[in-house]
Amino acid sequence: MSLILGAIADDFTGATDLANNLVRSGMRTVQVLGAPDADTPVPDDVDAVVVALKSRTCPVDEALADSLAALDWLKGGNRHGEAARQIFFKYCSTFDSTDAGNIGPVADALLDRLGGAQTVMVPSFPTTGRTVYQGHLFVGDRLLNDSGMQDHPLNPMHDADLVRVLARQTPHQVGLLDDRVIRGGVAQAQEHLHRLGADGVRHVICDTLNDDDLEVLAGACVELELVTGGSGLGQALPGEYRRLGWLEPNADAARLEVAEGGPLVLSGSCSRATLAQVEHFLERHPGVALDPLELADGDAPIEAALAFVRQHREDTPDEPVLVYASAAPQRVQAAQQRLGVARAGELVERAMAILATTLVGEGIGRLLVAGGETSGAVVSALDLGQLRIGGQIDAGVPWTQARVEGRILSLALKSGNFGGVDIFTRGFDVLAEVAP
Ligand code: ADP
């Protein structure tokens, strides 16, 4: 069966979040890292592809160029000439953007290229407390502009009225599909969209109070060329694809192939959750610490960590080993005061990147990485182009599968605050369950 959904996500973790929801709703999904070109292979046997860009806060021109490159590739500008049936522009459920964009300009450019007249905007994700009422975005019980997002360093959100926010980002008309209409069901919602379209409304902000509303919205917009929103909509669309006969029921969407090499955990996150996970792991399995102050004097600590992991792989090849820079706030501050915040982080990220490439090269096959920036450093060092998304260990932390020099690598990337206290050990048990 051919490609159904092609998604363009404006950042890496947002892409993973959407991919995770698609897999959980029964779509076989691959995440592509960075803007693809004609030579980027289209993965076999997938229902959805999510292209992860870094276009949320970059200059508008760059965001447009990357998004259109991704669109062209997804619409057939690839070696197989395979075209996705529907395009999904994914942004953050807190509508992260500025008056300059990039949500409005990117949505306009995608619609223009697709020849479409209208799209919907569905940022909500009710399970994580993001809802929209009368066009106003709430985070839990707070309006967006009172949720902490007003202090965001890159894109402070001072206005919760999304019709007004988006109107500043596009020359076209913005309208509202409100909750009263949505409660009337799919046909009423579609009729409302058509009426708005006849009045020249190009972008429609959609209310969503709960998962039932998401299902109505998915039904109303499943045949649009372009939909836009957060990952909540990704949870509802697959059911519509099945109803239309585009997607076959598949209980194995989360299955990954078996990775043969041993297990390793690399942790560069210093979040409270990660510190507890490190402690929990060290009570049961071997681990070695990395200290940025020592890394500043040379690579000896990296060599020592490599020797430690190699020794344990020889003695107990199936037991997970941990290398961690994670440290309590006082230790982190001490290192940052001596080295500067950026240099302390760079030293740790470089060390983790070297450890990942060396040890994967030596046969590590199952790798769990803790920390958003740390994960970014490891993924770039391993030069991974595509990740197949599998079953999740904990909310928002799926196992993924990549290929490194022809071998399968099972990889889980955990941002700081995610995961239960035992994720570093239980993660490997979950992997055994999602593999055939
Ligand atoms: P999180 O997802 O928890 O924010 P990140 O990996 O994104 O984790 O960020 C943690 C940052 O802290 C990284 O840049 C990492 O290199 C840095 N870091 C890790 N350990 C230390 C340490 N002991 N001292 C100073 N900085 C550290």
Side-chain angles (χ1 to χ4, degrees):
M1 190 163 287
S2 60
L3 193 58
I4 299 163
L5 183 67
I8 302 167
D10 67 357
D11 89 335
F12 180 81
T13 45
T16 309
D17 201 19
L18 173 62
N20 192 36
N21 274 355
L22 295 171
V23 170
R24 286 164 61 73
S25 296
M27 293 186 92
R28 298 165 301 167
T29 306
V30 161
Q31 184 171 337
V32 172
L33 310 177
D37 58 33
D39 290 334
T40 307
V42 180
D44 292 327
D45 298 328
V46 291
D47 306 307
V49 174
V50 181
V51 178
L53 300 178
K54 283 188 190 152
S55 55
R56 183 170 295 169
T57 52
C58 70
V60 177
D61 288 354
E62 247 173 71
L64 293 181
D66 284 351
S67 304
L68 289 173
L71 176 67
D72 291 345
W73 182 78
L74 288 166
K75 282 310 257 184
N78 52 64
R79 278 208 297 247
H80 304 307
E82 194 170 356
R85 288 187 185 221
Q86 186 167 47
I87 298 294
F88 189 140
F89 169 34
K90 157 76 175 67
Y91 39 80
C92 190
S93 60
T94 43
F95 215 74
D96 295 22
S97 53
T98 67
D99 287 354
N102 293 335
I103 295 177
V106 170
D108 275 328
L110 296 176
L111 257 187
D112 284 343
R113 183 71 60 100
L114 288 165
Q118 189 185 60
T119 188
V120 289
M121 303 249 158
V122 189
S124 51
F125 193 1
T127 10
T128 60
R130 271 67 158 178
T131 55
V132 180
Y133 182 61
Q134 299 301 333
H136 290 66
L137 180 52
F138 288 82
V139 179
D141 62 355
R142 314 310 302 171
L143 279 164
L144 178 64
N145 55 305
D146 192 24
S147 68
M149 281 302 294
Q150 70 273 27
D151 299 321
H152 191 284
L154 302 175
N155 44 257
M157 302 301 291
H158 295 296
D159 191 354
D161 180 342
L162 297 186
V163 174
R164 207 161 47 195
V165 170
L166 189 66
R168 291 193 283 261
Q169 298 181 30
T170 171
H172 299 281
Q173 278 197 64
V174 182
L176 175 67
L177 175 56
D178 74 31
D179 184 60
R180 196 177 33 87
V181 180
I182 293 169
R183 269 183 283 138
V186 173
Q188 267 199 39
Q190 271 175 334
E191 200 184 301
H192 188 81
L193 289 174
H194 290 150
R195 227 181 2 251
L196 289 173
D199 289 343
V201 174
R202 186 166 153 100
H203 301 289
V204 184
I205 301 287
C206 299
D207 277 2
T208 319
L209 299 190
N210 49 43
D211 287 348
D212 291 344
D213 289 352
L214 276 182
E215 281 178 24
V216 172
L217 288 171
C221 69
V222 66
E223 304 217 43
L224 291 180
E225 284 260 38
L226 175 71
V227 293
T228 85
S231 49
L233 187 60
Q235 152 196 318
L237 279 171
E240 290 302 313
Y241 298 147
R242 271 190 291 274
R243 192 181 56 77
L244 291 174
W246 296 0
L247 176 68
E248 282 164 14
N250 184 352
D252 286 341
R255 288 235 161 226
L256 300 177
E257 287 175 58
V258 188
E260 285 186 348
L264 173 71
V265 184
L266 296 176
S267 177
S269 160
C270 301
S271 74
R272 200 179 294 174
T274 305
L275 294 179
Q277 290 157 353
V278 167
E279 195 181 320
H280 183 274
F281 183 95
L282 292 175
E283 284 162 8
R284 291 158 182 80
H285 299 290
V288 57
L290 282 177
D291 183 344
L293 290 171
E294 290 172 15
L295 287 168
D297 293 333
D299 285 352
I302 301 178
E303 291 305 327
L306 283 172
F308 182 91
V309 175
R310 284 174 185 140
Q311 184 61 52
H312 279 280
R313 273 179 47 69
E314 230 177 275
D315 298 345
T316 46
D318 263 337
E319 182 177 24
V321 188
L322 167 68
V323 184
Y324 63 101
S326 315
Q330 310 87 294
R331 298 235 349 249
V332 173
Q333 275 162 21
Q336 289 176 335
Q337 269 164 13
R338 281 264 303 280
L339 302 167
V341 175
R343 172 123 175 93
E346 278 160 23
L347 284 166
V348 171
E349 284 164 36
R350 175 176 169 273
M352 292 297 181
I354 294 173
L355 289 167
T357 46
T358 309
L359 291 168
V360 168
E362 291 177 11
I364 286 291
R366 290 166 279 161
L367 177 61
L368 204 157
V369 185
E373 293 299 323
T374 312
S375 296
V378 166
V379 165
S380 326
L382 289 170
D383 198 17
L384 305 178
Q386 305 193 344
L387 300 177
R388 173 117 189 192
I389 309 296
Q392 70 174 21
I393 309 169
D394 280 321
V397 192
W399 272 108
T400 73
Q401 170 193 312
R403 277 193 184 274
V404 181
E405 287 165 12
R407 264 192 322 124
I408 291 169
L409 173 69
S410 296
L411 181 67
L413 306 169
K414 177 195 95 73
S415 48
N417 280 313
F418 282 35
V421 72
D422 58 350
I423 189 168
F424 291 165
T425 46
R426 197 169 39 80
F428 296 103
D429 302 335
V430 171
L431 181 60
E433 288 159 22
V434 296

